[in-house]
Amino acid sequence: MMNRNEFINYAAENVRLYLPQTFESAQVSVVESIKENGRKIPALLIRRQGDILVPSILLEGAYNDYRSGKSLETCVKWIADLRVKYDNPKCLSDLRYVKDYEAIKNKLKIKLCDLELNRDWLKDKAYTLHGDFAAVYCVTICENEEQTFNMPIVKQLIEEWKISLRQIHEDALLSERAERAVLFEMDAYISSIMTGDGSIRNLLDGKTEWHPEIAEAPILCLTNNSMRNGASMILQKDLMKRVGEIIGSDFYILPSSIHETLLVPDIGIMDTSGLSQMVKEINENEVELCDKLSDKVQYYDRAKGVFENAERRNQVRTPVTTNREFDMGKAPVFA
C-alpha cells in the first residue's frame, strides 16, 4: 500500500497512460491547492500547449478510494476521465465566455464561508460580508452528477467586467432563485429517511402551518432543491421574511454546513450558549472540514430583516449592519 505522497507521484507519472492521444505531450504537475477552512489539498494540473484555463484535479478523493481497496489503475483512470470530462466542448465554450459577464451572469452562484477561518483563501476573491460570513461569488462552468466545476470570481475578473460588486451580488441572488428554496422540519426529514419514504413537506408551499410551541424538536432546515451549497439561501431577503412569518418569531440560524442552515425559533426553549455548544460539537464530530460553514450561531431579527452574531448580540445590544461593503463611500471588499 502506497502512502499519500507515493500515490500522488505515481498518479502524476502515469496519468498520461489513460488520457487520449491529444494529451500525449501535456505537462503534468502537482500543486497545492488552498481551499476553504484552511485546507491545503494536492491537485494535478494537466496542461497542453495552448490551454489557457486548466482545471485542478483534487487528488484526495482518488487517494481515499485507493486506501478503501480500489486498484491503482482504477484510481488513476478516474483522474484521467475527469480531466477529459472538463475538456468537453460545453465546458470549453463556457470557459471562453467567462469574460463576457452578460453571457455568464445567470450561472452565478454564492458560497458562504466563515470570514475568520478563510482570510488566506479570500485574499484574491470577490466577496461581501454578511454577519460573520463571507459570500464568495462563483461561476458554474461545468456540472454533472459526479462533479461541479465552480470558478471563484477574483478581483482581476471584476475589473475586466467593469461591473460593481453590488451588481454581481444582486445578479447572483437572482440566479440562485432559480433553485427552489426548501424549508422543512428536521424531525420529519429524519423520520422520512428512517422509513424510506423520502417525502418531506416544504413549509414554503403555503399549504402547511407550523407550530413550534408544540413541536417535539422545533428545528427547521433551510436549503435549496438540490441540497448543495444551500446555506446561501439565508441571503435571500424576501425568503427570510417569509420564513420569519412561518416561524412566527425571531430565530437563531445554526450554520450546520455549507449545504444548509438550521433555524430555531426564539421562544425560550433553547439559549444561545447551548446552541453554540451544540454547533461546535456537531462540526467537530460529524461535519467534514470541506463542508463546514462556521461555529458561529447567528440571530435573525424579523423587524430589522438582518442577522448578526448571536453571542455578541447578547453581550452588546447594538445593531450590526450586514452588507457593510455596500455602505456609502466604502469600496467593495476584496481582501
Side-chain angles (χ1 to χ4, degrees), residues 96-148:
R96 292 190 188 102
Y97 288 100
V98 158
K99 294 188 178 182
D100 182 351
Y101 182 74
E102 289 299 316
I104 59 84
K105 70 178 183 180
N106 64 335
K107 297 180 181 179
L108 291 172
K109 299 293 180 185
I110 302 173
K111 188 170 187 177
L112 289 187
C113 68
D114 185 300
L115 174 66
E116 187 179 356
L117 296 177
N118 289 277
R119 293 192 183 276
D120 286 343
W121 183 68
L122 290 168
K123 282 180 178 177
D124 64 341
K125 309 294 188 301
Y127 65 90
T128 54
L129 302 177
H130 307 267
D132 292 297
F133 307 144
V136 180
Y137 304 97
C138 305
V139 179
T140 299
I141 299 299
C142 192
E143 186 171 17
N144 55 51
E145 292 182 359
E146 295 179 3
Q147 294 282 332
T148 299

Side-chain angles (χ1 to χ4, degrees), residues 228-282:
R228 284 163 45 171
N229 286 314
S232 60
M233 288 291 110
I234 65 174
L235 302 185
Q236 301 281 352
K237 289 187 176 181
D238 290 343
L239 172 62
M240 292 295 278
K241 181 179 179 181
R242 174 69 181 130
V243 169
E245 292 170 352
I246 292 171
I247 292 177
S249 69
D250 296 345
F251 54 88
Y252 296 94
I253 301 173
L254 311 188
S256 54
S257 84
I258 61 173
H259 304 298
E260 76 287 314
T261 55
L262 302 182
L263 312 180
V264 179
D266 182 13
I267 53 176
I269 296 177
M270 301 182 185
D271 62 13
T272 303
S273 60
L275 290 171
S276 296
Q277 185 60 35
M278 180 176 72
V279 170
K280 289 175 183 176
E281 289 178 358
I282 292 175

Side-chain angles (χ1 to χ4, degrees), residues 196-223:
D197 68 9
S199 62
I200 54 173
R201 297 180 304 164
N202 186 358
L203 298 177
L204 295 168
D205 62 12
K207 301 176 183 177
T208 309
E209 290 188 357
W210 188 57
H211 301 283
E213 67 278 0
I214 63 174
E216 185 175 344
I219 302 176
L220 298 181
C221 178
L222 178 63
T223 183

Side-chain angles (χ1 to χ4, degrees), residues 29-33 41-45 56:
S29 57
V30 178
V31 298
E32 193 173 64
S33 181
I41 300 176
L44 213 59
L45 295 181
S56 297

Side-chain angles (χ1 to χ4, degrees), residues 23-192:
F23 287 86
E24 186 177 6
S25 58
Q27 179 184 358
V28 180
S29 57
V30 178
V31 298
E32 193 173 64
S33 181
I34 298 176
K35 307 297 286 184
E36 303 90 318
N37 299 327
R39 296 177 298 135
K40 296 180 179 179
I41 300 176
L44 213 59
L45 295 181
I46 304 172
R47 184 188 299 273
R48 293 165 302 182
Q49 187 174 2
D51 283 343
I52 300 173
L53 294 172
V54 179
S56 297
I57 309 297
L58 302 181
L59 300 176
E60 205 70 15
Y63 178 60
N64 289 337
D65 286 344
Y66 167 67
R67 291 185 61 194
S68 298
K70 290 188 178 180
S71 68
L72 274 171
E73 291 74 16
T74 298
C75 295
V76 177
K77 185 177 185 303
W78 177 86
I79 295 169
D81 290 345
L82 189 58
R83 178 63 180 89
V84 172
K85 281 183 181 179
Y86 285 143
D87 204 42
N88 69 54
K90 175 68 169 59
C91 286
L92 289 176
S93 174
D94 288 342
L95 284 169
R96 292 190 188 102
Y97 288 100
V98 158
K99 294 188 178 182
D100 182 351
Y101 182 74
E102 289 299 316
I104 59 84
K105 70 178 183 180
N106 64 335
K107 297 180 181 179
L108 291 172
K109 299 293 180 185
I110 302 173
K111 188 170 187 177
L112 289 187
C113 68
D114 185 300
L115 174 66
E116 187 179 356
L117 296 177
N118 289 277
R119 293 192 183 276
D120 286 343
W121 183 68
L122 290 168
K123 282 180 178 177
D124 64 341
K125 309 294 188 301
Y127 65 90
T128 54
L129 302 177
H130 307 267
D132 292 297
F133 307 144
V136 180
Y137 304 97
C138 305
V139 179
T140 299
I141 299 299
C142 192
E143 186 171 17
N144 55 51
E145 292 182 359
E146 295 179 3
Q147 294 282 332
T148 299
F149 182 22
N150 287 323
M151 186 184 77
I153 296 172
V154 295
K155 179 180 179 180
Q156 180 182 349
L157 197 52
I158 292 248
E159 292 173 345
E160 291 182 17
W161 284 339
K162 294 181 170 57
I163 299 290
S164 70
L165 193 55
R166 174 187 283 275
Q167 186 63 56
I168 291 171
H169 178 75
E170 294 300 325
D171 289 339
L173 289 176
L174 184 62
S175 174
E176 291 214 323
R177 285 186 202 126
E179 282 205 75
R180 187 171 65 107
V182 182
L183 179 71
F184 53 85
E185 297 174 83
M186 279 304 297
D187 272 357
Y189 178 62
I190 294 171
S191 177
S192 71

